[in-house]
Amino acid sequence: MISAAAILMITMGARQSVGLFVTPLNQATGLGIVSISFALAIGQFVWGLAQPIFGAIADKKGSYHVLIFGTLLLAGGTALTPLAQSEGALVATMGILSAAGAGAGSFSILIGATSGHLPAEKRAFAGGFINAGGSLGQFIFAPLLQAIISGFGWVAAMLTMAAATLLTIPLASMLCGKAAAPQPAADQAADGLFRQVRLSLRNLSYLCLHAGFFTCGFHVAFLVTHLPGEVSLCGHAASVSATSLALIGLFNIGGSLAAGMLGTRYRMKYILAVMYASRAVMIAIYLMAPKTPLTFYIFAAGLGFTWLATVPPTAGLVGKLFGTRYMATLLGLTILTHQIGGFLGAWLGGIAVAHDGNYQWMWYADMLLAGVAALVNLPIQEAKVSKEPVTA
């Protein structure tokens, strides 16, 4: 659990800080906010697409080589980004290479690697613990990278981030060992991978889980990409953006741990519904509040508590519905849906500000989708907490 959380700390710290580079990239390349947003939106999608693909490989061959390959992709794509001077080059580096690499070292692979070693009642807490590592990464990376950008320039910050990602290599050895064969679990399904995927895609509860997670991706990607732009439009310094992103990460540590612990006592579909509904309420309050630095800090703290705290109950529900044999693949598919929403959140945010000069209609769309996500989780057929996970 500790090794997996440390890996996620690095990969998510890098992924969740990309918004800090939007303005420096625009100033250095002159590509425009729409082109840069599109490249980052492609990255959101590729990050999601990579997870079921690498998850399937990990389920069959083990996680170690997947994590090492992902590290090399992430470090290489990040290091090559300063050389990108066109939209296509930026899509290749930030949108494909680094995003795919981060996806290979993200939730589905890491949670899948640990779930088979844990009893069913401990998996929700383990998911929360691992997820908290990713939040800690955002808390550490955002202010550190902003300080390097301010003091030495965005290229130095990008290269520092690339070097930091290489620390996942020894951590992968600690997590998996060099013999990375997948560990069977008592509740594994006998069906093959493709049969299990077909079964899951006919399961209404699983599809409802996808629908709610789509909204989560839209929300998270919009904010991680465009919150610095929103802060700038309100006339505040870049340090306010970095502090806000750090606060999101800090408070999500508590939110992730809380979601993991609550998942051992309450039905996880209700936890998800409450978190999504709370986002709609927080956005409404933000829109009515004066746009001072304190408002951004309070908004970031509130959002941070639910930010990626949706992952532990989502992972727990996948385990309840289908067991852990193909957890990396099935959780990876939900994250792919999450990142389809993420693609739209990042891309449409850039279009909105280029067209209207603000993000107003994006906030309204985000609030509406959060309300829908809260409702769509309620029909999920989840066994009571005291029961063993159901295998489809």
Side-chain angles (χ1 to χ4, degrees):
M1 283 170 52
I2 293 171
S3 299
I7 292 171
L8 193 62
M9 178 184 73
I10 295 170
T11 61
M12 287 301 292
R15 287 294 303 156
Q16 296 294 319
S17 301
V18 293
L20 298 173
F21 293 93
V22 172
T23 297
L25 270 168
N26 190 29
Q27 292 171 346
T29 64
L31 291 174
I33 189 68
V34 174
S35 292
I36 295 171
S37 295
F38 179 72
L40 296 181
I42 291 291
Q44 293 288 340
F45 176 74
V46 169
W47 183 79
L49 179 63
Q51 293 197 53
I53 294 173
F54 284 122
I57 297 170
D59 281 336
K60 288 195 168 192
K61 304 293 185 182
S63 302
Y64 177 74
H65 295 295
V66 167
L67 291 169
I68 297 301
F69 182 65
T71 296
L72 297 177
L73 284 179
L74 176 56
T78 304
L80 289 172
T81 297
L83 302 178
Q85 295 297 316
S86 67
E87 181 179 312
L90 199 61
V91 167
T93 55
M94 294 188 79
I96 297 177
L97 291 177
S98 63
S106 198
F107 302 112
S108 57
I109 286 82
L110 296 171
I111 292 176
T114 56
S115 293
H117 299 280
L118 299 168
E121 65 273 12
K122 299 294 185 183
R123 291 176 196 145
F125 175 77
F129 185 87
I130 294 167
N131 196 54
S135 302
L136 179 62
Q138 184 172 340
F139 174 68
I140 293 171
F141 272 64
L144 175 61
L145 290 172
Q146 184 58 55
I148 297 173
I149 291 171
S150 299
F152 303 98
W154 71 274
V155 173
M158 190 71 72
L159 294 177
T160 300
M161 188 163 66
T165 62
L166 296 174
L167 294 173
T168 60
I169 293 175
L171 291 169
S173 297
M174 294 171 63
L175 173 64
C176 306
K178 296 202 174 173
Q183 298 295 319
D187 62 345
Q188 288 176 349
D191 300 317
L193 172 62
F194 294 109
R195 176 172 169 77
Q196 183 64 76
V197 170
R198 287 197 299 271
L199 286 172
S200 68
L201 293 177
R202 293 199 294 265
N203 185 301
L204 179 61
S205 294
Y206 186 62
L207 296 179
C208 288
L209 199 61
H210 276 261
F213 225 31
F214 170 90
T215 291
C216 183
F218 183 95
H219 173 86
V220 168
F222 166 58
L223 283 171
V224 78
T225 305
H226 296 289
L227 184 60
E230 174 79 356
V231 170
S232 179
L233 286 174
C234 294
H236 302 305
S239 59
V240 176
S241 304
T243 302
S244 297
L245 290 174
L247 285 171
I248 288 173
L250 177 64
F251 278 81
N252 196 228
I253 296 171
S256 295
L257 294 173
M261 288 186 288
L262 289 172
T264 66
R265 300 182 61 186
Y266 303 102
R267 294 191 184 187
M268 286 175 275
K269 67 177 185 177
Y270 296 137
I271 298 171
L272 287 170
V274 169
M275 284 195 287
Y276 290 135
S278 72
R279 292 179 180 181
V281 173
M282 285 185 282
I283 293 169
I285 293 172
Y286 165 76
L287 291 176
M288 293 185 291
K291 303 304 183 289
T292 64
L294 180 60
T295 294
F296 281 106
Y297 298 152
I298 294 173
F299 183 51
L303 286 176
F305 198 76
T306 71
W307 185 247
L308 289 171
T310 55
V311 174
T314 299
L317 279 169
V318 171
K320 273 191 171 185
L321 291 169
F322 306 111
T324 62
R325 174 63 183 92
Y326 299 113
M327 169 73 85
T329 304
L330 297 179
L331 179 59
L333 286 171
T334 67
I335 292 174
L336 173 57
T337 300
H338 183 280
Q339 293 310 112
I340 293 172
F343 171 87
L344 293 173
W347 184 40
L348 293 178
I351 292 175
V353 75
H355 185 268
D356 298 328
N358 59 61
Y359 296 101
Q360 197 70 17
W361 71 266
M362 285 293 293
W363 289 116
Y364 293 138
D366 201 9
M367 186 165 51
L368 175 63
L369 287 172
V372 172
L375 295 175
V376 82
N377 276 273
L378 297 178
I380 292 174
Q381 297 297 309
E382 180 185 1
K384 291 182 179 179
V385 174
S386 60
K387 295 182 179 179
E388 289 297 313
V390 177
T391 301

